């Protein structure tokens, strides 16, 4: 649940290798901001092959938030919209409020993780699901026919998932709302979770008391960087902070905020 975006991030090395040559003295082409028309939030940026992708949430009232569009670009300047790459028509258990996509590639197939139904208790059907397709633009189909994670663990609402592969080939997912974040290790086929090194299935790694939602993790120089949203999404205190740890399971030390409102701008 991050703010409506105005730019997409991509790994620096990939961006550099894919950037077109610009004659000396010529101005580089830019996309301008916002880079996409319409109301979108929660952008997931990825590079598949030589193409940049953005998978955002279609920001609408929950009853109307029933599908995902995707956007692709060869250069981060010109973008193509791919409409309805995944909708509730392909997910029998999802009725509304699809959001927070996380898309990864494994063995030539693409796996689209999503949140659905905004459940408030274990008695409701919903949570985190996963769909699969043969192309980044879909169409995606439900992989399990049920949520991958559909109940509360350690107080974390099953929403806002982020999936990543560690250097040793292990796949992890961090997720969680309601001020709690969990990490799970995923099975290689993404059909369930495996025990972590300490034997737990759902390990709480809430990085700081300020944590609210929207987790993301990446590894750099052997250390794990955990970013999240804090504050209230509808207010001026909504911001993004980060923490660092030596392992994906923590413990994490909060460093500070990296994105916050500037009242002089908006």
């Amino acid at each position: 649940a991050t703010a409506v975006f105005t730019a997409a991030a991509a790994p620096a090395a990939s961006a550099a290798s894919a950037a077109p040559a610009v004659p000396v003295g010529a101005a580089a082409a830019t996309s301008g901001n916002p880079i996409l028309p319409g109301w979108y939030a929660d952008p997931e940026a990825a590079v598949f092959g030589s193409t940049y992708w953005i998978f955002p949430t279609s920001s609408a009232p929950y009853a109307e938030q029933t599908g995902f569009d995707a956007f692709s670009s060869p250069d981060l300047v010109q973008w193509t919209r791919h409409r309805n790459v995944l909708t509730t028509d392909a997910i029998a258990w999802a009725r509304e409020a699809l959001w927070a996509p996380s898309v990864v590639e494994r063995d030539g197939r693409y796996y689209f993780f999503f949140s659905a139904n905004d459940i408030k208790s274990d008695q409701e059907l919903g949570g985190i699901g996963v769909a699969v397709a043969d192309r980044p633009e879909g169409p995606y189909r439900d992989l399990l026919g049920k949520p991958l994670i559909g109940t509360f663990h350690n107080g974390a609402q099953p929403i806002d998932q982020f999936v990543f592969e560690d250097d040793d080939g292990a796949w992890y997912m961090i997720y969680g709302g309601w001020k709690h974040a969990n990490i799970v290790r995923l099975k290689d086929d993404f059909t369930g979770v495996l025990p972590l090194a300490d034997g737990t299935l759902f390990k709480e790694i809430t990085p700081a008391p300020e944590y609210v939602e929207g987790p993301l993790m990446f590894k750099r120089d052997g250390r794990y960087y955990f970013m999240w949203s804090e504050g209230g999404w509808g207010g001026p205190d909504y911001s993004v902070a980060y923490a660092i740890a030596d392992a994906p399971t923590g413990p994490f030390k909060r460093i500070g905020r990296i994105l916050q409102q500037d009242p002089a701008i908006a």
Side-chain angles (χ1 to χ4, degrees):
T2 50
V4 173
F5 66 94
T6 56
S14 298
S17 63
V22 178
V24 175
T30 61
S31 62
N33 280 320
I35 63 173
L36 306 174
W39 284 98
Y40 291 97
D42 304 334
E44 167 89 343
V47 182
F48 296 133
S50 60
T51 303
Y52 300 96
W53 288 85
I54 297 175
F55 300 90
T57 297
S58 297
S59 190
Y62 270 4
E64 302 171 18
Q65 199 167 293
T66 56
F68 292 100
D69 293 341
F71 297 83
S72 63
S73 173
D75 56 10
L76 295 175
V77 177
Q78 302 297 323
W79 292 92
T80 298
R81 186 200 310 260
H82 307 269
R83 293 186 182 274
N84 293 322
V85 299
L86 174 64
T87 72
T88 51
D89 290 341
I91 312 163
W93 54 271
R95 65 180 186 277
E96 63 177 14
L98 299 177
W99 79 99
S102 182
V103 184
V104 300
E105 182 272 334
R106 184 179 182 278
D107 295 336
R109 306 185 81 192
Y110 299 87
Y111 295 85
F112 193 124
F113 296 81
F114 58 91
S115 301
N117 295 359
D118 193 28
I119 64 171
K120 306 299 194 299
S121 72
D122 289 348
Q123 284 67 54
E124 299 176 71
L125 179 61
I128 296 169
V130 57
V132 64
D134 295 324
R135 302 181 301 172
E137 64 269 33
Y140 288 85
R141 60 175 179 82
D142 192 3
L143 180 65
L144 303 177
K146 62 181 181 179
L148 173 65
I149 299 178
T151 54
F152 285 68
H153 299 274
N154 305 317
Q157 186 187 28
I159 64 168
D160 287 10
Q161 67 295 324
F162 178 79
V163 177
F164 70 99
E165 183 181 21
D166 208 345
D167 296 337
D168 61 0
W171 288 91
Y172 294 93
M173 181 168 67
I174 56 174
Y175 74 90
W178 292 12
K179 299 191 174 183
H180 295 276
N182 288 333
I183 188 168
V184 296
R185 180 173 175 179
L186 295 170
K187 293 181 178 180
D188 288 343
D189 60 4
F190 302 135
T191 60
V193 301
L194 296 170
L196 296 165
D198 63 1
T200 60
L201 288 176
F202 298 87
K203 184 176 182 63
E204 181 165 10
I205 54 168
T206 304
E210 296 91 343
Y211 173 88
V212 175
E213 60 196 4
L216 177 146
M217 188 179 292
F218 64 88
K219 189 176 185 179
R220 182 176 185 272
D221 294 337
R223 308 188 78 191
Y224 296 83
Y225 290 73
F226 187 164
M227 298 183 183
W228 67 90
S229 296
E230 56 187 39
W233 70 267
D237 61 335
Y238 203 48
S239 55
V240 176
Y242 78 106
I244 302 176
D246 294 323
T249 53
F252 286 89
K253 179 182 179 182
R254 184 184 188 276
I255 306 300
R257 292 179 176 176
I258 62 165
L259 181 64
Q260 56 190 324
Q261 184 187 83
D262 183 346
I265 297 174

